[in-house]
Amino acid sequence: MHEMQVVKIKKIIKETKRIKTFILDLDVSAIPGQFVMVWLPGVDEKPMSVSYTKGDLGITVLRLGDFTRRLFELSPGDMLGIRGPMGRGFKVYGDKLLLVGGGVGVAPLAPLAEEALAEGKEVTAIIGAITKSELLFVDRIEKAGGRVLISTDDGSAGKKGFTTDVLRELLEEETFDQCFTCGPEIMMAKVLDITREKKIPTQASLHRYFKCGIGICGQCVLDGIGLRVCKEGPTFRDKELRKSPEFGRYWRNAAGQKIYFGGKK
Ligand SMILES: Cc1cc2nc3c(=O)[nH]c(=O)nc-3n(C[C@H](O)[C@H](O)[C@H](O)COP(=O)(O)OP(=O)(O)OC[C@H]3O[C@@H](n4cnc5c(N)ncnc54)[C@H](O)[C@@H]3O)c2cc1C
Ligand code: FES
């Protein structure tokens, strides 16, 4: 659905100090992992994962730069331009699912957990954040019946360290039919390395700088595999990502320049 719709913000939920959920007056169904393009007139248009996929659509946003700062100034009743839901969502098979989410990357994983649990699947979610107060959707996934394991960088909740530390420990004891991950790309690359060792098929949802969002401009093409994050993604299979020298290393800014994650080449 590429046409722009002007949509009212129904409700705003303050999830953490830096994360808000915007519930939109838009009753469409999305697949977890899909995204919408969000337009703020005079500011920009940016992709956001759908964090509430049934009934009124929701997006969950981390305040980062200019666009998200302006989004945070809005109130219920204000209007937004929305295109979508678009892109390839997560594909679920098997009964025992593992989710690994870092920071706002938990946004597309929470509806995936809810839908899978409602279908009788078993869901374990590893959720990480820099500190306890920035953990996202822990209660939501637990309320739906999922098991949640936590890591924080500063040790204020759960294991002190990263989601990947929890993942390594967990996979010493248990195995899963499938893993899904979203969060900082360096984290996702490590998740893929670990699940590869354990032969667990994994899908990852990528964040890239988008221009058109509909597969035309070529801005979001992944080097090495020629797939567009906005069209063939944003969710990709581990097998696809391993063939791209770009995954886990760099992204491209508006000028097409490579920006290396962590500043390292
Ligand atoms: C499919 C998809 C789904 C997304 N879902 C969400 C979501 O659910 N919630 C959410 O908060 N954001 C999401 N994003 C990211 C979002 O589109 C914006 O890029 C982000 O909110 C920053 O926008 P900004 O203008 O506020 O900050 P900007 O000014 O654009 O950026 C702030 C900082 O982030 C860095 N940055 C920008 N883009 C990237 C990138 N691709 N990789 C690494 N660093 C980058 C910039 O260099 C800068 O340092 C998603 C992106 C994609 C492609
Ligand atoms: S943003 Fe234009 S092709 Fe993906």
Side-chain angles (χ1 to χ4, degrees), residues 199-224:
K199 298 190 172 43
I200 301 170
T202 301
Q203 291 168 42
S205 177
L206 266 55
H207 287 186
R208 279 288 178 281
Y209 180 79
F210 283 3
K211 285 182 180 166
C212 70
I214 53 170
I216 294 170
C217 71
Q219 165 72 32
C220 66
V221 172
L222 290 174
D223 286 350

PDB file of all heavy atoms in Angstrom, residues 199-224:
ATOM      1  N   LYS A 199      23.237 -24.142  14.507  1.00  0.00           N
ATOM      2  CA  LYS A 199      22.363 -24.547  13.393  1.00  0.00           C
ATOM      3  C   LYS A 199      20.896 -24.135  13.611  1.00  0.00           C
ATOM      4  O   LYS A 199      19.973 -24.920  13.354  1.00  0.00           O
ATOM      5  CB  LYS A 199      22.475 -26.050  13.135  1.00  0.00           C
ATOM      6  CG  LYS A 199      23.881 -26.483  12.719  1.00  0.00           C
ATOM      7  CD  LYS A 199      23.881 -27.913  12.241  1.00  0.00           C
ATOM      8  CE  LYS A 199      25.182 -28.357  11.638  1.00  0.00           C
ATOM      9  NZ  LYS A 199      26.423 -27.975  12.311  1.00  0.00           N
ATOM     10  N   ILE A 200      20.704 -22.924  14.118  1.00  0.00           N
ATOM     11  CA  ILE A 200      19.327 -22.421  14.303  1.00  0.00           C
ATOM     12  C   ILE A 200      19.053 -21.370  13.222  1.00  0.00           C
ATOM     13  O   ILE A 200      19.711 -20.324  13.198  1.00  0.00           O
ATOM     14  CB  ILE A 200      19.151 -21.800  15.714  1.00  0.00           C
ATOM     15  CG1 ILE A 200      19.450 -22.848  16.799  1.00  0.00           C
ATOM     16  CG2 ILE A 200      17.740 -21.229  15.889  1.00  0.00           C
ATOM     17  CD1 ILE A 200      19.527 -22.282  18.201  1.00  0.00           C
ATOM     18  N   PRO A 201      18.114 -21.628  12.310  1.00  0.00           N
ATOM     19  CA  PRO A 201      17.816 -20.654  11.268  1.00  0.00           C
ATOM     20  C   PRO A 201      17.374 -19.325  11.891  1.00  0.00           C
ATOM     21  O   PRO A 201      16.573 -19.316  12.833  1.00  0.00           O
ATOM     22  CB  PRO A 201      16.655 -21.279  10.485  1.00  0.00           C
ATOM     23  CG  PRO A 201      16.522 -22.658  10.979  1.00  0.00           C
ATOM     24  CD  PRO A 201      17.228 -22.790  12.272  1.00  0.00           C
ATOM     25  N   THR A 202      17.910 -18.241  11.361  1.00  0.00           N
ATOM     26  CA  THR A 202      17.681 -16.940  11.996  1.00  0.00           C
ATOM     27  C   THR A 202      17.274 -15.894  10.969  1.00  0.00           C
ATOM     28  O   THR A 202      17.822 -15.840   9.862  1.00  0.00           O
ATOM     29  CB  THR A 202      18.970 -16.508  12.731  1.00  0.00           C
ATOM     30  OG1 THR A 202      19.285 -17.512  13.703  1.00  0.00           O
ATOM     31  CG2 THR A 202      18.817 -15.174  13.438  1.00  0.00           C
ATOM     32  N   GLN A 203      16.306 -15.059  11.361  1.00  0.00           N
ATOM     33  CA  GLN A 203      15.915 -13.903  10.540  1.00  0.00           C
ATOM     34  C   GLN A 203      16.232 -12.628  11.312  1.00  0.00           C
ATOM     35  O   GLN A 203      16.033 -12.577  12.526  1.00  0.00           O
ATOM     36  CB  GLN A 203      14.419 -13.953  10.216  1.00  0.00           C
ATOM     37  CG  GLN A 203      14.051 -15.082   9.260  1.00  0.00           C
ATOM     38  CD  GLN A 203      12.560 -15.306   9.177  1.00  0.00           C
ATOM     39  OE1 GLN A 203      11.775 -14.366   9.131  1.00  0.00           O
ATOM     40  NE2 GLN A 203      12.164 -16.568   9.155  1.00  0.00           N
ATOM     41  N   ALA A 204      16.704 -11.621  10.568  1.00  0.00           N
ATOM     42  CA  ALA A 204      17.062 -10.344  11.203  1.00  0.00           C
ATOM     43  C   ALA A 204      16.347  -9.216  10.482  1.00  0.00           C
ATOM     44  O   ALA A 204      16.167  -9.259   9.266  1.00  0.00           O
ATOM     45  CB  ALA A 204      18.568 -10.135  11.122  1.00  0.00           C
ATOM     46  N   SER A 205      15.926  -8.220  11.255  1.00  0.00           N
ATOM     47  CA  SER A 205      15.262  -7.050  10.663  1.00  0.00           C
ATOM     48  C   SER A 205      16.236  -5.872  10.678  1.00  0.00           C
ATOM     49  O   SER A 205      16.724  -5.470  11.735  1.00  0.00           O
ATOM     50  CB  SER A 205      14.007  -6.708  11.471  1.00  0.00           C
ATOM     51  OG  SER A 205      13.414  -5.544  10.923  1.00  0.00           O
ATOM     52  N   LEU A 206      16.516  -5.347   9.486  1.00  0.00           N
ATOM     53  CA  LEU A 206      17.565  -4.325   9.348  1.00  0.00           C
ATOM     54  C   LEU A 206      16.999  -2.905   9.334  1.00  0.00           C
ATOM     55  O   LEU A 206      15.926  -2.661   8.777  1.00  0.00           O
ATOM     56  CB  LEU A 206      18.334  -4.551   8.039  1.00  0.00           C
ATOM     57  CG  LEU A 206      19.609  -5.397   8.138  1.00  0.00           C
ATOM     58  CD1 LEU A 206      19.335  -6.749   8.767  1.00  0.00           C
ATOM     59  CD2 LEU A 206      20.222  -5.566   6.756  1.00  0.00           C
ATOM     60  N   HIS A 207      17.753  -1.983   9.922  1.00  0.00           N
ATOM     61  CA  HIS A 207      17.445  -0.553   9.826  1.00  0.00           C
ATOM     62  C   HIS A 207      18.455   0.072   8.872  1.00  0.00           C
ATOM     63  O   HIS A 207      19.654  -0.029   9.101  1.00  0.00           O
ATOM     64  CB  HIS A 207      17.570   0.123  11.195  1.00  0.00           C
ATOM     65  CG  HIS A 207      16.458  -0.221  12.129  1.00  0.00           C
ATOM     66  ND1 HIS A 207      16.302   0.357  13.355  1.00  0.00           N
ATOM     67  CD2 HIS A 207      15.436  -1.099  12.003  1.00  0.00           C
ATOM     68  CE1 HIS A 207      15.232  -0.143  13.944  1.00  0.00           C
ATOM     69  NE2 HIS A 207      14.694  -1.044  13.148  1.00  0.00           N
ATOM     70  N   ARG A 208      17.963   0.686   7.818  1.00  0.00           N
ATOM     71  CA  ARG A 208      18.834   1.390   6.876  1.00  0.00           C
ATOM     72  C   ARG A 208      18.240   2.763   6.587  1.00  0.00           C
ATOM     73  O   ARG A 208      17.056   2.985   6.809  1.00  0.00           O
ATOM     74  CB  ARG A 208      18.923   0.628   5.541  1.00  0.00           C
ATOM     75  CG  ARG A 208      19.891  -0.515   5.547  1.00  0.00           C
ATOM     76  CD  ARG A 208      21.328   0.011   5.560  1.00  0.00           C
ATOM     77  NE  ARG A 208      22.315  -1.058   5.603  1.00  0.00           N
ATOM     78  CZ  ARG A 208      22.672  -1.732   6.698  1.00  0.00           C
ATOM     79  NH1 ARG A 208      22.114  -1.455   7.851  1.00  0.00           N
ATOM     80  NH2 ARG A 208      23.594  -2.667   6.652  1.00  0.00           N
ATOM     81  N   TYR A 209      19.066   3.649   6.080  1.00  0.00           N
ATOM     82  CA  TYR A 209      18.548   4.948   5.660  1.00  0.00           C
ATOM     83  C   TYR A 209      17.745   4.754   4.368  1.00  0.00           C
ATOM     84  O   TYR A 209      18.271   4.214   3.399  1.00  0.00           O
ATOM     85  CB  TYR A 209      19.709   5.935   5.434  1.00  0.00           C
ATOM     86  CG  TYR A 209      19.225   7.285   5.004  1.00  0.00           C
ATOM     87  CD1 TYR A 209      18.713   8.189   5.926  1.00  0.00           C
ATOM     88  CD2 TYR A 209      19.235   7.640   3.659  1.00  0.00           C
ATOM     89  CE1 TYR A 209      18.221   9.420   5.530  1.00  0.00           C
ATOM     90  CE2 TYR A 209      18.754   8.867   3.258  1.00  0.00           C
ATOM     91  CZ  TYR A 209      18.247   9.748   4.193  1.00  0.00           C
ATOM     92  OH  TYR A 209      17.754  10.954   3.791  1.00  0.00           O
ATOM     93  N   PHE A 210      16.458   5.141   4.392  1.00  0.00           N
ATOM     94  CA  PHE A 210      15.586   4.987   3.222  1.00  0.00           C
ATOM     95  C   PHE A 210      15.323   6.346   2.581  1.00  0.00           C
ATOM     96  O   PHE A 210      15.217   7.357   3.285  1.00  0.00           O
ATOM     97  CB  PHE A 210      14.208   4.436   3.638  1.00  0.00           C
ATOM     98  CG  PHE A 210      14.153   2.963   3.939  1.00  0.00           C
ATOM     99  CD1 PHE A 210      15.288   2.170   3.911  1.00  0.00           C
ATOM    100  CD2 PHE A 210      12.920   2.365   4.245  1.00  0.00           C
ATOM    101  CE1 PHE A 210      15.217   0.812   4.200  1.00  0.00           C
ATOM    102  CE2 PHE A 210      12.839   1.008   4.527  1.00  0.00           C
ATOM    103  CZ  PHE A 210      13.990   0.231   4.509  1.00  0.00           C
ATOM    104  N   LYS A 211      15.189   6.343   1.256  1.00  0.00           N
ATOM    105  CA  LYS A 211      14.666   7.540   0.567  1.00  0.00           C
ATOM    106  C   LYS A 211      13.236   7.241   0.121  1.00  0.00           C
ATOM    107  O   LYS A 211      12.297   7.664   0.744  1.00  0.00           O
ATOM    108  CB  LYS A 211      15.585   7.936  -0.582  1.00  0.00           C
ATOM    109  CG  LYS A 211      16.858   8.613  -0.090  1.00  0.00           C
ATOM    110  CD  LYS A 211      17.769   9.057  -1.215  1.00  0.00           C
ATOM    111  CE  LYS A 211      19.015   9.712  -0.626  1.00  0.00           C
ATOM    112  NZ  LYS A 211      20.077   9.871  -1.629  1.00  0.00           N
ATOM    113  N   CYS A 212      13.080   6.438  -0.963  1.00  0.00           N
ATOM    114  CA  CYS A 212      11.724   6.216  -1.483  1.00  0.00           C
ATOM    115  C   CYS A 212      10.922   5.243  -0.610  1.00  0.00           C
ATOM    116  O   CYS A 212       9.710   5.399  -0.480  1.00  0.00           O
ATOM    117  CB  CYS A 212      11.786   5.713  -2.923  1.00  0.00           C
ATOM    118  SG  CYS A 212      12.429   4.032  -3.080  1.00  0.00           S
ATOM    119  N   GLY A 213      11.551   4.224  -0.062  1.00  0.00           N
ATOM    120  CA  GLY A 213      10.863   3.222   0.754  1.00  0.00           C
ATOM    121  C   GLY A 213      10.065   2.209  -0.060  1.00  0.00           C
ATOM    122  O   GLY A 213       9.437   1.318   0.508  1.00  0.00           O
ATOM    123  N   ILE A 214      10.105   2.322  -1.405  1.00  0.00           N
ATOM    124  CA  ILE A 214       9.290   1.407  -2.227  1.00  0.00           C
ATOM    125  C   ILE A 214      10.102   0.734  -3.338  1.00  0.00           C
ATOM    126  O   ILE A 214       9.558   0.310  -4.354  1.00  0.00           O
ATOM    127  CB  ILE A 214       8.054   2.131  -2.829  1.00  0.00           C
ATOM    128  CG1 ILE A 214       8.461   3.405  -3.580  1.00  0.00           C
ATOM    129  CG2 ILE A 214       7.027   2.421  -1.750  1.00  0.00           C
ATOM    130  CD1 ILE A 214       7.335   4.033  -4.393  1.00  0.00           C
ATOM    131  N   GLY A 215      11.406   0.688  -3.175  1.00  0.00           N
ATOM    132  CA  GLY A 215      12.222  -0.111  -4.098  1.00  0.00           C
ATOM    133  C   GLY A 215      12.655   0.591  -5.371  1.00  0.00           C
ATOM    134  O   GLY A 215      13.158  -0.073  -6.283  1.00  0.00           O
ATOM    135  N   ILE A 216      12.494   1.893  -5.464  1.00  0.00           N
ATOM    136  CA  ILE A 216      12.796   2.577  -6.723  1.00  0.00           C
ATOM    137  C   ILE A 216      14.197   3.202  -6.758  1.00  0.00           C
ATOM    138  O   ILE A 216      14.922   3.072  -7.740  1.00  0.00           O
ATOM    139  CB  ILE A 216      11.735   3.672  -7.008  1.00  0.00           C
ATOM    140  CG1 ILE A 216      10.377   3.018  -7.260  1.00  0.00           C
ATOM    141  CG2 ILE A 216      12.131   4.538  -8.199  1.00  0.00           C
ATOM    142  CD1 ILE A 216       9.223   3.991  -7.312  1.00  0.00           C
ATOM    143  N   CYS A 217      14.596   3.853  -5.695  1.00  0.00           N
ATOM    144  CA  CYS A 217      15.793   4.715  -5.757  1.00  0.00           C
ATOM    145  C   CYS A 217      17.113   3.969  -5.603  1.00  0.00           C
ATOM    146  O   CYS A 217      18.159   4.464  -6.012  1.00  0.00           O
ATOM    147  CB  CYS A 217      15.690   5.815  -4.707  1.00  0.00           C
ATOM    148  SG  CYS A 217      15.881   5.217  -3.012  1.00  0.00           S
ATOM    149  N   GLY A 218      17.096   2.810  -5.018  1.00  0.00           N
ATOM    150  CA  GLY A 218      18.326   2.021  -4.857  1.00  0.00           C
ATOM    151  C   GLY A 218      19.163   2.404  -3.643  1.00  0.00           C
ATOM    152  O   GLY A 218      20.212   1.811  -3.401  1.00  0.00           O
ATOM    153  N   GLN A 219      18.712   3.370  -2.853  1.00  0.00           N
ATOM    154  CA  GLN A 219      19.470   3.831  -1.677  1.00  0.00           C
ATOM    155  C   GLN A 219      19.800   2.697  -0.705  1.00  0.00           C
ATOM    156  O   GLN A 219      20.868   2.670  -0.115  1.00  0.00           O
ATOM    157  CB  GLN A 219      18.654   4.918  -0.957  1.00  0.00           C
ATOM    158  CG  GLN A 219      19.103   5.263   0.448  1.00  0.00           C
ATOM    159  CD  GLN A 219      20.417   6.043   0.494  1.00  0.00           C
ATOM    160  OE1 GLN A 219      20.698   6.812  -0.412  1.00  0.00           O
ATOM    161  NE2 GLN A 219      21.196   5.837   1.545  1.00  0.00           N
ATOM    162  N   CYS A 220      18.857   1.755  -0.539  1.00  0.00           N
ATOM    163  CA  CYS A 220      19.002   0.784   0.555  1.00  0.00           C
ATOM    164  C   CYS A 220      19.493  -0.585   0.097  1.00  0.00           C
ATOM    165  O   CYS A 220      19.390  -1.551   0.847  1.00  0.00           O
ATOM    166  CB  CYS A 220      17.652   0.635   1.263  1.00  0.00           C
ATOM    167  SG  CYS A 220      16.407  -0.101   0.195  1.00  0.00           S
ATOM    168  N   VAL A 221      20.034  -0.660  -1.149  1.00  0.00           N
ATOM    169  CA  VAL A 221      20.531  -1.947  -1.654  1.00  0.00           C
ATOM    170  C   VAL A 221      21.697  -2.435  -0.797  1.00  0.00           C
ATOM    171  O   VAL A 221      22.607  -1.667  -0.491  1.00  0.00           O
ATOM    172  CB  VAL A 221      20.999  -1.806  -3.121  1.00  0.00           C
ATOM    173  CG1 VAL A 221      21.693  -3.078  -3.595  1.00  0.00           C
ATOM    174  CG2 VAL A 221      19.825  -1.490  -4.037  1.00  0.00           C
ATOM    175  N   LEU A 222      21.666  -3.707  -0.424  1.00  0.00           N
ATOM    176  CA  LEU A 222      22.767  -4.286   0.368  1.00  0.00           C
ATOM    177  C   LEU A 222      23.865  -4.764  -0.574  1.00  0.00           C
ATOM    178  O   LEU A 222      23.608  -5.575  -1.481  1.00  0.00           O
ATOM    179  CB  LEU A 222      22.262  -5.471   1.198  1.00  0.00           C
ATOM    180  CG  LEU A 222      21.330  -5.146   2.369  1.00  0.00           C
ATOM    181  CD1 LEU A 222      20.806  -6.441   2.983  1.00  0.00           C
ATOM    182  CD2 LEU A 222      22.026  -4.300   3.437  1.00  0.00           C
ATOM    183  N   ASP A 223      25.072  -4.277  -0.364  1.00  0.00           N
ATOM    184  CA  ASP A 223      26.201  -4.672  -1.209  1.00  0.00           C
ATOM    185  C   ASP A 223      26.370  -6.192  -1.183  1.00  0.00           C
ATOM    186  O   ASP A 223      26.150  -6.845  -0.162  1.00  0.00           O
ATOM    187  CB  ASP A 223      27.500  -4.020  -0.696  1.00  0.00           C
ATOM    188  CG  ASP A 223      27.539  -2.533  -1.034  1.00  0.00           C
ATOM    189  OD1 ASP A 223      26.674  -2.079  -1.820  1.00  0.00           O
ATOM    190  OD2 ASP A 223      28.422  -1.830  -0.513  1.00  0.00           O
ATOM    191  N   GLY A 224      26.763  -6.727  -2.312  1.00  0.00           N
ATOM    192  CA  GLY A 224      27.084  -8.154  -2.395  1.00  0.00           C
ATOM    193  C   GLY A 224      25.899  -9.026  -2.741  1.00  0.00           C
ATOM    194  O   GLY A 224      26.057 -10.028  -3.419  1.00  0.00           O
TER     195      GLY A 224
END
